[in-house]
Amino acid sequence: MANVDFLQIGLQLAVLIVSLTVHEAAHAWAANRLGDPTARLLGRLSFNPLVHIDPVGTVIFPLVAITTGLPLIGWAKPVPVDFRNLRAPRRDFAVIAAAGPTSNVLLALVGAGVFAAVAATSTNEMLLELVFSFVSLNVLLAVFNMLPIPPLDGGNVLIGVLPASSAGLVERLRPFGFVALYALMLTGVLWTLIGPVYRLVLGWLL
């Protein structure tokens, strides 16, 4: 049983790392397309997980979540963006921020197609569980990251679309963003916020 548990932990962690790698590469790709090569020049426009991994957010925190039964959520190293290279800084930064969650939605759509094909042609429960985990994790990452709390992508999108005066107020909350997120996680309020949307989207896909 221990071997099975370790295998499941390894598979879930692998799925998370792949999903976060695509997420960060999407940020880098969008930034490069919009005129800022900073991430590309730093090697972040890559599907190599090693350039994106954050030891705490990509490894330690997810392992704690997996082993304690908490929702599997993690993060990678933020992609650097130089606003001076963007033609319309606030708008373009919002697009760059949205690129990450959008990539997770696209991965979930592809995964849902694979799940339907596998379910129709195979009875391999481990394979079905792996593909299901891939879909559900990418839906969760998309929904979680679109919470309107900086430094999450949703907060950055919000700053980009609000009027400048309101965006400044939200920007001042950035130093306290992770504190707020940890508080939401520890109190269970986070799942109350994202759970209904996660289940709705997952239900549509599967």
Side-chain angles (χ1 to χ4, degrees), residues 97-114:
T102 299
S103 74
N104 293 124
V105 172
L106 293 176
L107 287 177
L109 287 169
V110 172
V114 173

Side-chain angles (χ1 to χ4, degrees), residues 72-83:
L72 180 54
I73 295 174
W75 59 88
K77 290 190 296 186
V79 164
V81 177
D82 189 339
F83 285 79

